[in-house]
Each structure stands twice: as C-alpha cells, then as structure tokens.
Amino acid sequence: MQPGFVIPLWADLTAVALGGVQGALFASNFRGERRLDLLGVAAIGILIGMGGGLIRDLLLGLTPATLQSDWYLITATVSALAGMLLAPLLQRLNGLIVGLDAIVIGMFGAFGTSKALAFGLPVVPSVFVGVLAAVGGGVLRDVIMGLPVAVMHVGSLYAVAAAGGSAVLAALHAVGLQLPVAAAVGIVVTAVVRLLAVVFDLSLPEQRNLHRRRVAAETGLIPVIGRADDRN
C-alpha cells in the first residue's frame, strides 16, 4: 500500500451516511406487490450505505473496513432511519435526491479506485474496482428486492459515470497528482456525468439486434400473432 495513504474515516463515513439516506429514500418509495416494513426500509438503507465498501475491500482481499469499526454500522443505521423518517419531506425535493445519488456513486467509485491504486493494482483493474464499488450497493439492493438491476438497463449511466470519474482519477494519479486530490476530482467528474445524464436524458445506444417477436416468443411473456408470410 502506498505509504501514508488511508481513506479518512470521516470521508468513508460520509459516503456510508449518504448511501444510507439514499437507500432508505428509495425503499420508502417502493410500491411493489409486497410493501416493505420499517425493518426492510432500514435494511436497504444499510445495504446501500455499506455495500460499496464491502465489495471494494473483498475485491482487494482485505478485511472490510466497515467491519473494523463500530461507527460504520452505527452511521449506516442512523442514516437509514433518518432517511426513512424524512422521506415524506425529501421525496418532494427530486433534485436533492438525484444530486445525492450522484455524489454517493462518485464517492464510492473514487474511494474504490484510490484504495486499489494504493495497493499497487494496475490502472484498469483499479478502475474496475472503483466501478464495482460504486454500483455494487445498488445491484445488491435490486437483487434483494427482486427488481431488474438498474445498472443493466437503458438510461442509467451509473457505471459509465463511475468509470469516467475513476478513469480521470487514475489518469491524474499517473501524472503525479496526490491520490486525495485526484479522488476529489474523480468524485466531481462522476457526479457531473450522472447529473448531465439525468438532466438531458442521456443514455448509451439501446440494443436492438433482437426483434420484439423473437424476444416475445422466447420468453413467453408476450402473445405472438403470426404474420401471413410466417404461416406460408
């Protein structure tokens, strides 16, 4: 590990706290076939708050930092409960929620990439760790809640934003910038890309190679009405 480098506890806890609030807001607004109770909302908030750090450290072969201090779980729990209690108020401030989401992605991505670089990983794997740390909590949330994984669908740009910020961070570090400064720039880049994607409705090109009729036939989800030329 790079001498003297460590993610400040306050910074890591800030990411955990923001993630906890964001996760609780998402869960509080969930309207599925089965409604979540208070424990379920709190659990999702804790998962988002701690998920990125857990994935980051497991990929690096380390004992997760979130399990080496009482403050991580305490912070995630309190933040999730606060997000749940304030949900009726905060859900009216859609811009605040979008901005919070962008910052959370940026922080987990920057911290993941910084820690990987400090441990001597090459640039590409370090960026990969950052991206997984950024989107991992959301993926775990969607899987546990039985939802389509958001990062895989058109219009999210979560992974693209995280990859952009992490790549800028790695490039700046490669030219001699200190990791804390490079990480701050990476957070800003990720947040800006994500916000621009939301404001201007940007997305990657949609996959259109499969015809709707083929997808319908293979999944059995959509009734297929045969055309005249198909029956001949």
Side-chain angles (χ1 to χ4, degrees):
M1 188 171 181
Q2 193 177 94
F5 175 80
V6 62
I7 298 173
L9 181 62
W10 66 266
D12 226 6
L13 291 179
T14 299
V16 169
L18 294 177
V21 172
Q22 194 268 342
L25 288 175
F26 178 91
S28 298
N29 199 39
F30 179 67
R31 298 293 183 268
E33 294 181 0
R34 297 182 179 180
R35 301 287 296 276
L36 295 173
D37 58 16
L38 297 181
L39 178 60
V41 173
I44 295 301
I46 293 170
L47 183 64
I48 295 292
M50 298 181 63
L54 285 169
I55 291 174
R56 173 196 69 205
D57 291 338
L58 290 175
L59 287 173
L60 295 175
L62 304 172
T63 301
T66 51
L67 301 180
Q68 297 187 58
S69 170
D70 294 333
W71 286 109
Y72 285 93
L73 187 56
I74 292 173
T75 299
T77 303
V78 171
S79 300
L81 292 174
M84 180 173 56
L85 294 174
L86 296 176
L89 171 63
L90 296 179
Q91 284 171 357
R92 301 174 187 174
L93 307 174
N94 187 61
L96 175 63
I97 297 176
V98 173
L100 182 65
D101 185 47
I103 294 172
V104 169
I105 295 171
M107 294 186 76
F108 280 122
F111 294 165
T113 302
S114 297
K115 198 164 186 177
L117 289 171
F119 270 83
L121 267 65
V123 170
V124 174
S126 295
V127 171
F128 181 66
V129 169
V131 172
L132 290 186
V135 305
V139 172
L140 293 175
R141 174 203 65 198
D142 293 339
V143 170
I144 288 177
M145 296 181 69
L147 300 173
V149 179
V151 73
M152 301 295 292
H153 293 273
V154 173
S156 67
L157 283 190
Y158 286 108
V160 173
S166 296
V168 168
L169 187 164
L172 292 176
H173 177 62
V175 298
L177 201 62
Q178 294 295 316
L179 273 175
V181 180
V185 176
I187 292 172
V188 172
V189 170
T190 299
V192 169
V193 172
R194 174 59 185 156
L195 290 174
L196 289 176
V198 173
V199 172
F200 294 102
D201 194 22
L202 302 176
S203 66
L204 293 176
E206 184 178 352
Q207 190 282 116
R208 296 180 180 274
N209 290 332
L210 293 177
H211 294 291
R212 180 178 179 273
R213 294 184 69 257
R214 183 185 300 174
V215 173
E218 292 177 354
T219 62
L221 296 177
I222 305 173
V224 178
I225 300 175
R227 297 178 302 183
D229 55 352
D230 290 337
R231 294 192 295 268
N232 293 336

